[in-house]
PDB file of all heavy atoms in Angstrom:
ATOM      1  N   ILE V 136    -244.109  95.712  95.581  1.00 90.00           N
ATOM      2  CA  ILE V 136    -244.092  94.339  95.058  1.00 90.00           C
ATOM      3  C   ILE V 136    -244.499  94.328  93.590  1.00 90.00           C
ATOM      4  O   ILE V 136    -243.865  93.674  92.756  1.00 90.00           O
ATOM      5  CB  ILE V 136    -245.007  93.439  95.909  1.00 90.00           C
ATOM      6  CG1 ILE V 136    -244.403  93.252  97.315  1.00 90.00           C
ATOM      7  CG2 ILE V 136    -245.218  92.083  95.235  1.00 90.00           C
ATOM      8  CD1 ILE V 136    -245.382  92.702  98.328  1.00 90.00           C
ATOM      9  N   PHE V 137    -245.548  95.060  93.239  1.00 88.00           N
ATOM     10  CA  PHE V 137    -246.000  95.072  91.842  1.00 88.00           C
ATOM     11  C   PHE V 137    -245.015  95.819  90.945  1.00 88.00           C
ATOM     12  O   PHE V 137    -244.881  95.488  89.761  1.00 88.00           O
ATOM     13  CB  PHE V 137    -247.407  95.659  91.741  1.00 88.00           C
ATOM     14  CG  PHE V 137    -248.483  94.657  92.035  1.00 88.00           C
ATOM     15  CD1 PHE V 137    -249.005  94.529  93.313  1.00 88.00           C
ATOM     16  CD2 PHE V 137    -248.967  93.822  91.043  1.00 88.00           C
ATOM     17  CE1 PHE V 137    -249.986  93.586  93.594  1.00 88.00           C
ATOM     18  CE2 PHE V 137    -249.953  92.883  91.306  1.00 88.00           C
ATOM     19  CZ  PHE V 137    -250.465  92.758  92.592  1.00 88.00           C
ATOM     20  N   ASP V 138    -244.310  96.814  91.501  1.00 83.00           N
ATOM     21  CA  ASP V 138    -243.241  97.453  90.726  1.00 83.00           C
ATOM     22  C   ASP V 138    -242.154  96.446  90.382  1.00 83.00           C
ATOM     23  O   ASP V 138    -241.656  96.397  89.252  1.00 83.00           O
ATOM     24  CB  ASP V 138    -242.614  98.604  91.522  1.00 83.00           C
ATOM     25  CG  ASP V 138    -243.490  99.841  91.571  1.00 83.00           C
ATOM     26  OD1 ASP V 138    -244.454  99.912  90.788  1.00 83.00           O
ATOM     27  OD2 ASP V 138    -243.208 100.728  92.408  1.00 83.00           O
ATOM     28  N   THR V 139    -241.749  95.650  91.371  1.00 85.00           N
ATOM     29  CA  THR V 139    -240.706  94.655  91.150  1.00 85.00           C
ATOM     30  C   THR V 139    -241.167  93.611  90.147  1.00 85.00           C
ATOM     31  O   THR V 139    -240.420  93.213  89.242  1.00 85.00           O
ATOM     32  CB  THR V 139    -240.320  93.983  92.473  1.00 85.00           C
ATOM     33  OG1 THR V 139    -239.860  94.993  93.391  1.00 85.00           O
ATOM     34  CG2 THR V 139    -239.212  92.953  92.273  1.00 85.00           C
ATOM     35  N   PHE V 140    -242.409  93.163  90.291  1.00 87.00           N
ATOM     36  CA  PHE V 140    -242.958  92.191  89.338  1.00 87.00           C
ATOM     37  C   PHE V 140    -243.006  92.782  87.925  1.00 87.00           C
ATOM     38  O   PHE V 140    -242.643  92.118  86.947  1.00 87.00           O
ATOM     39  CB  PHE V 140    -244.361  91.775  89.779  1.00 87.00           C
ATOM     40  CG  PHE V 140    -245.018  90.779  88.858  1.00 87.00           C
ATOM     41  CD1 PHE V 140    -244.800  89.420  89.008  1.00 87.00           C
ATOM     42  CD2 PHE V 140    -245.857  91.202  87.838  1.00 87.00           C
ATOM     43  CE1 PHE V 140    -245.401  88.489  88.154  1.00 87.00           C
ATOM     44  CE2 PHE V 140    -246.461  90.296  86.985  1.00 87.00           C
ATOM     45  CZ  PHE V 140    -246.235  88.937  87.148  1.00 87.00           C
ATOM     46  N   GLY V 141    -243.424  94.036  87.813  1.00 82.00           N
ATOM     47  CA  GLY V 141    -243.544  94.654  86.502  1.00 82.00           C
ATOM     48  C   GLY V 141    -242.221  94.770  85.773  1.00 82.00           C
ATOM     49  O   GLY V 141    -242.181  94.756  84.545  1.00 82.00           O
ATOM     50  N   ALA V 142    -241.116  94.872  86.525  1.00 77.00           N
ATOM     51  CA  ALA V 142    -239.792  94.996  85.903  1.00 77.00           C
ATOM     52  C   ALA V 142    -239.226  93.658  85.453  1.00 77.00           C
ATOM     53  O   ALA V 142    -238.213  93.624  84.745  1.00 77.00           O
ATOM     54  CB  ALA V 142    -238.821  95.655  86.883  1.00 77.00           C
ATOM     55  N   LEU V 143    -239.859  92.548  85.844  1.00 81.00           N
ATOM     56  CA  LEU V 143    -239.346  91.236  85.445  1.00 81.00           C
ATOM     57  C   LEU V 143    -239.545  91.004  83.954  1.00 81.00           C
ATOM     58  O   LEU V 143    -240.573  91.393  83.395  1.00 81.00           O
ATOM     59  CB  LEU V 143    -240.080  90.118  86.202  1.00 81.00           C
ATOM     60  CG  LEU V 143    -239.856  89.968  87.701  1.00 81.00           C
ATOM     61  CD1 LEU V 143    -240.782  88.883  88.244  1.00 81.00           C
ATOM     62  CD2 LEU V 143    -238.405  89.632  88.018  1.00 81.00           C
ATOM     63  N   PRO V 144    -238.597  90.336  83.307  1.00 77.00           N
ATOM     64  CA  PRO V 144    -238.863  89.868  81.944  1.00 77.00           C
ATOM     65  C   PRO V 144    -239.804  88.673  81.991  1.00 77.00           C
ATOM     66  O   PRO V 144    -239.975  88.056  83.061  1.00 77.00           O
ATOM     67  CB  PRO V 144    -237.477  89.448  81.453  1.00 77.00           C
ATOM     68  CG  PRO V 144    -236.771  89.012  82.700  1.00 77.00           C
ATOM     69  CD  PRO V 144    -237.264  89.930  83.786  1.00 77.00           C
ATOM     70  N   ASP V 145    -240.435  88.334  80.894  1.00 80.00           N
ATOM     71  CA  ASP V 145    -241.253  87.128  80.853  1.00 80.00           C
ATOM     72  C   ASP V 145    -240.397  85.923  81.233  1.00 80.00           C
ATOM     73  O   ASP V 145    -239.297  85.738  80.704  1.00 80.00           O
ATOM     74  CB  ASP V 145    -241.847  86.921  79.462  1.00 80.00           C
ATOM     75  CG  ASP V 145    -242.934  87.929  79.147  1.00 80.00           C
ATOM     76  OD1 ASP V 145    -243.468  88.527  80.083  1.00 80.00           O
ATOM     77  OD2 ASP V 145    -243.243  88.125  77.948  1.00 80.00           O
ATOM     78  N   GLY V 146    -240.878  85.126  82.177  1.00 83.00           N
ATOM     79  CA  GLY V 146    -240.114  83.987  82.667  1.00 83.00           C
ATOM     80  C   GLY V 146    -239.241  84.316  83.855  1.00 83.00           C
ATOM     81  O   GLY V 146    -238.663  83.412  84.469  1.00 83.00           O
ATOM     82  N   GLY V 147    -239.114  85.598  84.203  1.00 83.00           N
ATOM     83  CA  GLY V 147    -238.281  85.997  85.342  1.00 83.00           C
ATOM     84  C   GLY V 147    -238.983  85.764  86.667  1.00 83.00           C
ATOM     85  O   GLY V 147    -240.205  85.625  86.737  1.00 83.00           O
ATOM     86  N   THR V 148    -238.194  85.718  87.746  1.00 88.00           N
ATOM     87  CA  THR V 148    -238.724  85.507  89.092  1.00 88.00           C
ATOM     88  C   THR V 148    -238.010  86.428  90.078  1.00 88.00           C
ATOM     89  O   THR V 148    -236.915  86.931  89.809  1.00 88.00           O
ATOM     90  CB  THR V 148    -238.528  84.050  89.551  1.00 88.00           C
ATOM     91  OG1 THR V 148    -237.121  83.765  89.634  1.00 88.00           O
ATOM     92  CG2 THR V 148    -239.199  83.074  88.617  1.00 88.00           C
ATOM     93  N   PHE V 149    -238.640  86.636  91.213  1.00 88.00           N
ATOM     94  CA  PHE V 149    -237.970  87.260  92.352  1.00 88.00           C
ATOM     95  C   PHE V 149    -238.490  86.603  93.627  1.00 88.00           C
ATOM     96  O   PHE V 149    -239.549  85.951  93.625  1.00 88.00           O
ATOM     97  CB  PHE V 149    -238.185  88.778  92.389  1.00 88.00           C
ATOM     98  CG  PHE V 149    -239.565  89.214  92.826  1.00 88.00           C
ATOM     99  CD1 PHE V 149    -239.807  89.623  94.125  1.00 88.00           C
ATOM    100  CD2 PHE V 149    -240.620  89.237  91.923  1.00 88.00           C
ATOM    101  CE1 PHE V 149    -241.073  90.045  94.527  1.00 88.00           C
ATOM    102  CE2 PHE V 149    -241.891  89.646  92.301  1.00 88.00           C
ATOM    103  CZ  PHE V 149    -242.113  90.047  93.615  1.00 88.00           C
ATOM    104  N   VAL V 150    -237.725  86.735  94.704  1.00 90.00           N
ATOM    105  CA  VAL V 150    -238.110  86.147  95.980  1.00 90.00           C
ATOM    106  C   VAL V 150    -238.630  87.246  96.888  1.00 90.00           C
ATOM    107  O   VAL V 150    -237.930  88.228  97.171  1.00 90.00           O
ATOM    108  CB  VAL V 150    -236.929  85.418  96.646  1.00 90.00           C
ATOM    109  CG1 VAL V 150    -237.322  84.943  98.051  1.00 90.00           C
ATOM    110  CG2 VAL V 150    -236.486  84.231  95.787  1.00 90.00           C
ATOM    111  N   LEU V 151    -239.852  87.090  97.337  1.00 92.00           N
ATOM    112  CA  LEU V 151    -240.473  88.028  98.268  1.00 92.00           C
ATOM    113  C   LEU V 151    -240.245  87.550  99.693  1.00 92.00           C
ATOM    114  O   LEU V 151    -240.501  86.390 100.013  1.00 92.00           O
ATOM    115  CB  LEU V 151    -241.970  88.130  97.979  1.00 92.00           C
ATOM    116  CG  LEU V 151    -242.800  88.969  98.952  1.00 92.00           C
ATOM    117  CD1 LEU V 151    -242.390  90.436  98.865  1.00 92.00           C
ATOM    118  CD2 LEU V 151    -244.289  88.792  98.649  1.00 92.00           C
ATOM    119  N   VAL V 152    -239.771  88.445 100.556  1.00 90.00           N
ATOM    120  CA  VAL V 152    -239.536  88.139 101.966  1.00 90.00           C
ATOM    121  C   VAL V 152    -240.521  88.958 102.791  1.00 90.00           C
ATOM    122  O   VAL V 152    -240.534  90.195 102.706  1.00 90.00           O
ATOM    123  CB  VAL V 152    -238.092  88.458 102.382  1.00 90.00           C
ATOM    124  CG1 VAL V 152    -237.857  88.073 103.845  1.00 90.00           C
ATOM    125  CG2 VAL V 152    -237.090  87.747 101.468  1.00 90.00           C
ATOM    126  N   VAL V 153    -241.360  88.275 103.570  1.00 91.00           N
ATOM    127  CA  VAL V 153    -242.390  88.943 104.361  1.00 91.00           C
ATOM    128  C   VAL V 153    -242.437  88.331 105.760  1.00 91.00           C
ATOM    129  O   VAL V 153    -241.771  87.331 106.046  1.00 91.00           O
ATOM    130  CB  VAL V 153    -243.778  88.817 103.692  1.00 91.00           C
ATOM    131  CG1 VAL V 153    -243.866  89.690 102.470  1.00 91.00           C
ATOM    132  CG2 VAL V 153    -244.077  87.383 103.317  1.00 91.00           C
ATOM    133  N   ASP V 154    -243.266  88.922 106.628  1.00 88.00           N
ATOM    134  CA  ASP V 154    -243.356  88.457 108.003  1.00 88.00           C
ATOM    135  C   ASP V 154    -244.662  87.724 108.299  1.00 88.00           C
ATOM    136  O   ASP V 154    -244.996  87.466 109.446  1.00 88.00           O
ATOM    137  CB  ASP V 154    -243.199  89.639 108.980  1.00 88.00           C
ATOM    138  CG  ASP V 154    -244.073  90.823 108.612  1.00 88.00           C
ATOM    139  OD1 ASP V 154    -245.012  90.639 107.795  1.00 88.00           O
ATOM    140  OD2 ASP V 154    -243.816  91.926 109.103  1.00 88.00           O
ATOM    141  N   HIS V 155    -245.410  87.374 107.237  1.00 89.00           N
ATOM    142  CA  HIS V 155    -246.664  86.641 107.406  1.00 89.00           C
ATOM    143  C   HIS V 155    -247.022  86.009 106.061  1.00 89.00           C
ATOM    144  O   HIS V 155    -246.379  86.276 105.047  1.00 89.00           O
ATOM    145  CB  HIS V 155    -247.790  87.583 107.859  1.00 89.00           C
ATOM    146  CG  HIS V 155    -248.132  88.622 106.832  1.00 89.00           C
ATOM    147  ND1 HIS V 155    -247.340  89.737 106.610  1.00 89.00           N
ATOM    148  CD2 HIS V 155    -249.146  88.707 105.927  1.00 89.00           C
ATOM    149  CE1 HIS V 155    -247.876  90.462 105.646  1.00 89.00           C
ATOM    150  NE2 HIS V 155    -248.971  89.853 105.209  1.00 89.00           N
ATOM    151  N   ASP V 156    -248.031  85.165 106.054  1.00 92.00           N
ATOM    152  CA  ASP V 156    -248.511  84.567 104.807  1.00 92.00           C
ATOM    153  C   ASP V 156    -249.331  85.618 104.054  1.00 92.00           C
ATOM    154  O   ASP V 156    -250.430  85.988 104.491  1.00 92.00           O
ATOM    155  CB  ASP V 156    -249.376  83.347 105.127  1.00 92.00           C
ATOM    156  CG  ASP V 156    -249.792  82.592 103.872  1.00 92.00           C
ATOM    157  OD1 ASP V 156    -249.377  83.003 102.771  1.00 92.00           O
ATOM    158  OD2 ASP V 156    -250.521  81.598 103.993  1.00 92.00           O
ATOM    159  N   PRO V 157    -248.850  86.119 102.910  1.00 92.00           N
ATOM    160  CA  PRO V 157    -249.504  87.262 102.253  1.00 92.00           C
ATOM    161  C   PRO V 157    -250.660  86.855 101.345  1.00 92.00           C
ATOM    162  O   PRO V 157    -250.650  87.118 100.140  1.00 92.00           O
ATOM    163  CB  PRO V 157    -248.357  87.887 101.468  1.00 92.00           C
ATOM    164  CG  PRO V 157    -247.511  86.719 101.083  1.00 92.00           C
ATOM    165  CD  PRO V 157    -247.600  85.743 102.240  1.00 92.00           C
ATOM    166  N   GLN V 158    -251.660  86.240 101.905  1.00 92.00           N
ATOM    167  CA  GLN V 158    -252.800  85.831 101.088  1.00 92.00           C
ATOM    168  C   GLN V 158    -253.542  87.001 100.461  1.00 92.00           C
ATOM    169  O   GLN V 158    -254.011  86.887  99.315  1.00 92.00           O
ATOM    170  CB  GLN V 158    -253.745  84.974 101.925  1.00 92.00           C
ATOM    171  CG  GLN V 158    -253.238  83.560 102.147  1.00 92.00           C
ATOM    172  CD  GLN V 158    -253.000  82.826 100.833  1.00 92.00           C
ATOM    173  OE1 GLN V 158    -253.845  82.822  99.939  1.00 92.00           O
ATOM    174  NE2 GLN V 158    -251.835  82.212 100.709  1.00 92.00           N
ATOM    175  N   PRO V 159    -253.695  88.161 101.141  1.00 92.00           N
ATOM    176  CA  PRO V 159    -254.328  89.305 100.455  1.00 92.00           C
ATOM    177  C   PRO V 159    -253.552  89.731  99.210  1.00 92.00           C
ATOM    178  O   PRO V 159    -254.151  90.113  98.207  1.00 92.00           O
ATOM    179  CB  PRO V 159    -254.311  90.401 101.522  1.00 92.00           C
ATOM    180  CG  PRO V 159    -254.325  89.651 102.818  1.00 92.00           C
ATOM    181  CD  PRO V 159    -253.471  88.434 102.570  1.00 92.00           C
ATOM    182  N   LEU V 160    -252.228  89.629  99.272  1.00 93.00           N
ATOM    183  CA  LEU V 160    -251.414  89.949  98.100  1.00 93.00           C
ATOM    184  C   LEU V 160    -251.705  88.965  96.976  1.00 93.00           C
ATOM    185  O   LEU V 160    -251.831  89.361  95.813  1.00 93.00           O
ATOM    186  CB  LEU V 160    -249.931  89.909  98.463  1.00 93.00           C
ATOM    187  CG  LEU V 160    -248.957  90.044  97.282  1.00 93.00           C
ATOM    188  CD1 LEU V 160    -249.034  91.442  96.683  1.00 93.00           C
ATOM    189  CD2 LEU V 160    -247.527  89.724  97.729  1.00 93.00           C
ATOM    190  N   ARG V 161    -251.824  87.691  97.313  1.00 94.00           N
ATOM    191  CA  ARG V 161    -252.088  86.698  96.278  1.00 94.00           C
ATOM    192  C   ARG V 161    -253.446  86.940  95.626  1.00 94.00           C
ATOM    193  O   ARG V 161    -253.584  86.802  94.407  1.00 94.00           O
ATOM    194  CB  ARG V 161    -252.030  85.297  96.871  1.00 94.00           C
ATOM    195  CG  ARG V 161    -252.044  84.199  95.822  1.00 94.00           C
ATOM    196  CD  ARG V 161    -251.686  82.857  96.389  1.00 94.00           C
ATOM    197  NE  ARG V 161    -251.495  81.870  95.335  1.00 94.00           N
ATOM    198  CZ  ARG V 161    -251.103  80.619  95.551  1.00 94.00           C
ATOM    199  NH1 ARG V 161    -250.839  80.214  96.781  1.00 94.00           N
ATOM    200  NH2 ARG V 161    -250.954  79.780  94.547  1.00 94.00           N
ATOM    201  N   ARG V 162    -254.423  87.327  96.411  1.00 94.00           N
ATOM    202  CA  ARG V 162    -255.732  87.648  95.829  1.00 94.00           C
ATOM    203  C   ARG V 162    -255.625  88.875  94.915  1.00 94.00           C
ATOM    204  O   ARG V 162    -256.320  88.960  93.884  1.00 94.00           O
ATOM    205  CB  ARG V 162    -256.757  87.877  96.946  1.00 94.00           C
ATOM    206  CG  ARG V 162    -257.141  86.591  97.690  1.00 94.00           C
ATOM    207  CD  ARG V 162    -258.367  86.789  98.544  1.00 94.00           C
ATOM    208  NE  ARG V 162    -258.084  87.631  99.698  1.00 94.00           N
ATOM    209  CZ  ARG V 162    -257.638  87.188 100.878  1.00 94.00           C
ATOM    210  NH1 ARG V 162    -257.406  85.884 101.054  1.00 94.00           N
ATOM    211  NH2 ARG V 162    -257.430  88.015 101.877  1.00 94.00           N
ATOM    212  N   HIS V 163    -254.769  89.814  95.296  1.00 93.00           N
ATOM    213  CA  HIS V 163    -254.539  90.992  94.457  1.00 93.00           C
ATOM    214  C   HIS V 163    -253.929  90.579  93.115  1.00 93.00           C
ATOM    215  O   HIS V 163    -254.321  91.074  92.053  1.00 93.00           O
ATOM    216  CB  HIS V 163    -253.606  91.959  95.201  1.00 93.00           C
ATOM    217  CG  HIS V 163    -253.596  93.341  94.639  1.00 93.00           C
ATOM    218  ND1 HIS V 163    -252.928  94.394  95.224  1.00 93.00           N
ATOM    219  CD2 HIS V 163    -254.167  93.868  93.514  1.00 93.00           C
ATOM    220  CE1 HIS V 163    -253.078  95.479  94.504  1.00 93.00           C
ATOM    221  NE2 HIS V 163    -253.827  95.193  93.461  1.00 93.00           N
ATOM    222  N   PHE V 164    -252.974  89.645  93.152  1.00 94.00           N
ATOM    223  CA  PHE V 164    -252.399  89.124  91.912  1.00 94.00           C
ATOM    224  C   PHE V 164    -253.469  88.422  91.074  1.00 94.00           C
ATOM    225  O   PHE V 164    -253.513  88.580  89.845  1.00 94.00           O
ATOM    226  CB  PHE V 164    -251.260  88.148  92.228  1.00 94.00           C
ATOM    227  CG  PHE V 164    -249.901  88.776  92.263  1.00 94.00           C
ATOM    228  CD1 PHE V 164    -249.357  89.211  93.455  1.00 94.00           C
ATOM    229  CD2 PHE V 164    -249.157  88.932  91.104  1.00 94.00           C
ATOM    230  CE1 PHE V 164    -248.096  89.796  93.493  1.00 94.00           C
ATOM    231  CE2 PHE V 164    -247.902  89.508  91.122  1.00 94.00           C
ATOM    232  CZ  PHE V 164    -247.363  89.946  92.328  1.00 94.00           C
ATOM    233  N   ASP V 165    -254.318  87.624  91.733  1.00 94.00           N
ATOM    234  CA  ASP V 165    -255.385  86.930  90.998  1.00 94.00           C
ATOM    235  C   ASP V 165    -256.311  87.919  90.299  1.00 94.00           C
ATOM    236  O   ASP V 165    -256.779  87.678  89.179  1.00 94.00           O
ATOM    237  CB  ASP V 165    -256.201  86.061  91.961  1.00 94.00           C
ATOM    238  CG  ASP V 165    -255.480  84.774  92.329  1.00 94.00           C
ATOM    239  OD1 ASP V 165    -254.638  84.315  91.540  1.00 94.00           O
ATOM    240  OD2 ASP V 165    -255.758  84.233  93.418  1.00 94.00           O
ATOM    241  N   LEU V 166    -256.579  89.029  90.979  1.00 92.00           N
ATOM    242  CA  LEU V 166    -257.487  90.026  90.424  1.00 92.00           C
ATOM    243  C   LEU V 166    -256.839  90.795  89.277  1.00 92.00           C
ATOM    244  O   LEU V 166    -257.461  91.004  88.219  1.00 92.00           O
ATOM    245  CB  LEU V 166    -257.914  91.005  91.522  1.00 92.00           C
ATOM    246  CG  LEU V 166    -258.825  92.159  91.098  1.00 92.00           C
ATOM    247  CD1 LEU V 166    -260.179  91.627  90.627  1.00 92.00           C
ATOM    248  CD2 LEU V 166    -259.017  93.138  92.267  1.00 92.00           C
ATOM    249  N   MET V 167    -255.579  91.210  89.469  1.00 91.00           N
ATOM    250  CA  MET V 167    -254.921  92.078  88.504  1.00 91.00           C
ATOM    251  C   MET V 167    -254.231  91.312  87.372  1.00 91.00           C
ATOM    252  O   MET V 167    -254.167  91.807  86.243  1.00 91.00           O
ATOM    253  CB  MET V 167    -253.875  92.960  89.216  1.00 91.00           C
ATOM    254  CG  MET V 167    -254.439  93.833  90.330  1.00 91.00           C
ATOM    255  SD  MET V 167    -255.609  95.058  89.695  1.00 91.00           S
ATOM    256  CE  MET V 167    -254.518  96.050  88.687  1.00 91.00           C
TER     257      MET V 167
END
């Protein structure tokens, strides 16, 4: 996920498809 995010240009987006609410991932984004 962070590889995909890192390849985005500023202002770019991607859609993440998961099988649960990824709150630990969101906390990881908040931290990093």
Side-chain angles (χ1 to χ4, degrees):
I136 292 165
F137 277 94
D138 285 346
T139 301
F140 180 86
L143 291 175
D145 289 341
T148 63
F149 74 99
V150 174
L151 174 66
V152 182
V153 288
D154 48 16
H155 65 284
D156 186 2
Q158 284 302 312
L160 172 68
R161 190 167 189 176
R162 289 193 289 272
H163 196 174
F164 267 94
D165 283 335
L166 178 65
M167 302 296 295

